[in-house]
């Protein structure tokens, strides 16, 4: 009899940013298929999702992939349900109002690798700072790239798990990195980002390193870049229209819904969106061709291809929930008067 390990993963009730939780169960002669993953329960009183007097909540499997870092194992992403089967209030995935798989998303997930002893990014000396920003972006070498072994191992694990990771690179600040994931629809994009985040957390754990998702962990007043999760998006019309007016109408609609977007773009984003370090101010909205200081950048490739392609919303924070971000983008584009 073959025994398999199923790692059930979910989002807890931590505020203002949810954290990942996971536990393992053993299955006999498991098929590897999502439909054969049973619903499981957990103690919601220990994850900020229920009181002690009625603590049982349910885990509903929604996405599965191989676990390349364990023998005979699978990673099972789940949604949190109430005992009656309804979606728990912390279940952002189940609350996606408008799904549209015609939307393609490319999320650029930035993050810092932190030394848990110094509470500073890798590459920062205790009680001080490394050389200023400049050599770290896509840098190579012991004085420029910090934590590469973790990043490369994570990259391999994601690819082996079947996640659609399209690349990695060192970012602008020391100890800061990025991976990119492409997916179709808000559900799939969110599933893959959260699974990649889980794999990164678990990989860094082996090295005794923390992953810091805070969008401005070094503080807004220091001259170090923050971390975002830039959201590249398109739908069939954008990819084929050849019409600048379509893109202008979409950008203008985003400008009418600033609060609705910022509300789901991640906590502490006001510390990152200051108008400095390749950001627009959180209280303003702008868009422009090839403008990394705008709220929405129109890639030069979109223009060169005859106004066919994508847009990049540069405002989402590194700790944002991709389910909520993708859902809000879809809703706003649907509302644009095109």
């Amino acid at each position: 009899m073959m025994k398999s390990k199923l790692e059930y993963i979910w989002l807890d009730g931590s505020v203002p940013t949810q954290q990942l939780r996971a536990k393992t169960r053993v299955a006999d002669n498991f098929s590897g298929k999502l439909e054969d993953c049973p619903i499981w329960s957990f103690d919601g009183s220990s994850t900020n999702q229920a009181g002690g007097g009625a603590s049982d909540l349910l885990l509903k499997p929604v996405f599965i992939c191989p676990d390349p870092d364990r023998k005979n194992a699978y990673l099972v992403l789940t949604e949190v349900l109430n005992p009656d089967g309804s979606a728990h209030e912390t279940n952002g995935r189940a609350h996606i109002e408008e799904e549209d798989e015609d939307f393609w998303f490319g999320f650029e997930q930035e993050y810092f690798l932190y030394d848990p002893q110094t509470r500073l990014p890798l590459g920062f000396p205790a009680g001080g700072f490394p050389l200023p920003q400049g050599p770290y972006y896509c840098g190579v070498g012991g004085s420029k790239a910090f934590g590469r072994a973790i990043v490369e191992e994570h990259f391999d694990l994601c690819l082996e798990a079947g996640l659609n990771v399209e690349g990695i690179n060192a970012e602008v600040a020391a100890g800061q990195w990025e991976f990119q994931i492409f997916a179709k629809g808000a559900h799939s994009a969110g599933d893959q980002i959260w699974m990649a985040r889980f794999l990164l957390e678990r990989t860094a754990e082996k090295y005794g390193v923390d992953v810091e998702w805070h969008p401005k962990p070094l503080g807004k007043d220091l001259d170090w870049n923050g971390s975002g999760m830039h959201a590249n998006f398109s739908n069939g019309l954008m990819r084929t229209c050849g019409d600048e007016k379509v893109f202008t109408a979409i950008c203008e609609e985003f400008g009418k819904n600033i609060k609705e977007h910022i509300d789901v773009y991640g906590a502490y984003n006001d510390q990152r969106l200051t108008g400095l370090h390749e950001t627009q101010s959180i209280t303003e909205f702008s868009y422009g061709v090839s403008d990394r200081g705008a709220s929405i950048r129109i890639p030069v490739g979109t223009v060169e291809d005859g106004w066919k392609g994508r847009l990049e919303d540069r405002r989402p924070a590194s700790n944002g929930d991709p389910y909520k971000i993708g859902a809000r983008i879809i809703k706003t584009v649907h509302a644009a008067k095109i």
Side-chain angles (χ1 to χ4, degrees):
M1 181 182 295
M2 172 67 74
K3 293 186 178 292
S4 297
K5 305 165 195 161
L6 308 185
E7 185 80 345
Y8 276 49
I9 303 161
W10 72 98
L11 301 177
D12 71 7
S14 297
V15 292
T17 301
Q18 291 179 277
Q19 307 296 311
L20 287 159
R21 306 281 182 137
K23 62 175 182 172
T24 309
R25 68 182 293 157
V26 173
D28 295 329
N29 298 320
F30 180 61
S31 67
K33 297 178 180 179
L34 182 65
E35 56 265 30
D36 293 325
C37 295
I39 288 178
W40 201 11
S41 63
F42 72 99
D43 172 16
S45 69
S46 296
T47 62
N48 303 307
Q49 290 168 299
S55 62
D56 285 353
L57 294 176
L58 304 177
L59 297 174
K60 175 189 173 184
V62 294
F63 178 82
I64 188 172
C65 63
D67 186 344
D69 208 29
R70 299 171 93 186
K71 294 181 180 179
N72 303 321
Y74 296 86
L75 300 168
V76 182
L77 189 65
T78 67
E79 290 183 355
V80 177
L81 305 180
N82 295 309
D84 64 1
S86 61
H88 192 270
E89 62 182 356
T90 61
N91 183 345
R93 187 183 193 277
H95 290 99
I96 294 174
E97 296 177 2
E98 297 183 35
E99 177 61 288
D100 187 341
E101 293 187 359
D102 185 44
F103 274 77
W104 296 358
F105 291 99
F107 282 116
E108 303 174 36
Q109 175 70 71
E110 296 176 333
Y111 59 92
F112 277 91
L113 294 175
Y114 256 58
D115 183 328
Q117 302 301 317
T118 64
R119 290 313 304 160
L120 291 170
L122 300 188
F124 277 60
F129 297 92
L131 293 173
Q133 293 184 165
Y136 309 113
Y137 174 69
C138 296
V140 178
S143 63
K144 305 178 190 70
F146 307 96
R148 188 182 295 278
I150 297 171
V151 173
E152 291 290 349
E153 184 172 337
H154 172 249
F155 193 18
D156 286 341
L157 290 172
C158 286
L159 292 174
E160 290 176 44
L163 302 182
N164 199 27
V165 177
E166 296 211 319
I168 60 170
N169 59 269
E171 265 302 332
V172 175
Q176 187 185 38
W177 294 83
E178 173 184 299
F179 63 84
Q180 305 95 34
I181 280 185
F182 171 81
K184 298 179 180 181
H187 286 92
S188 180
D191 291 345
Q192 294 197 54
I193 284 287
W194 278 115
M195 193 64 84
R197 287 177 175 178
F198 174 82
L199 283 170
L200 181 58
E201 292 264 18
R202 198 177 66 180
T203 302
E205 176 188 313
K206 292 198 303 182
Y207 290 82
V209 170
D210 285 338
V211 181
E212 180 55 78
W213 304 105
H214 192 293
K216 200 71 173 181
L218 294 165
K220 68 178 182 179
D221 297 323
L222 296 181
D223 193 23
W224 293 94
N225 271 34
S227 295
M229 188 172 64
H230 302 156
N232 297 273
F233 63 93
S234 68
N235 62 7
L237 177 63
M238 295 167 66
R239 293 189 293 271
T240 59
C241 67
D243 188 348
E244 180 180 356
K245 293 180 181 178
V246 168
F247 289 85
T248 299
I250 291 171
C251 290
E252 291 290 331
E253 190 65 31
F254 273 71
K256 299 173 186 176
N257 294 275
I258 298 172
K259 183 180 185 301
E260 290 80 0
H261 283 264
I262 294 301
D263 282 350
V264 298
Y265 276 13
Y268 310 113
N269 212 10
D270 59 313
Q271 299 179 28
R272 170 178 160 264
L273 297 180
T274 61
L276 303 173
H277 302 108
E278 300 180 305
T279 70
Q280 175 58 281
S281 169
I282 196 169
T283 60
E284 298 181 23
F285 179 84
S286 63
Y287 59 93
V289 175
S290 198
D291 186 355
R292 282 180 162 75
S295 308
I296 291 185
R297 179 177 70 94
I298 303 171
V300 67
T302 295
V303 179
E304 291 179 346
D305 288 342
W307 290 96
K308 298 176 184 178
R310 61 185 170 90
L311 292 170
E312 178 195 42
D313 193 331
R314 296 182 56 80
R315 297 170 298 170
S318 50
N319 61 355
D321 183 344
Y323 294 131
K324 297 176 182 177
I325 294 168
R328 183 63 243 186
I329 287 172
I330 290 172
K331 191 170 186 177
T332 298
V333 174
H334 281 167
K337 293 179 174 57
I338 301 172

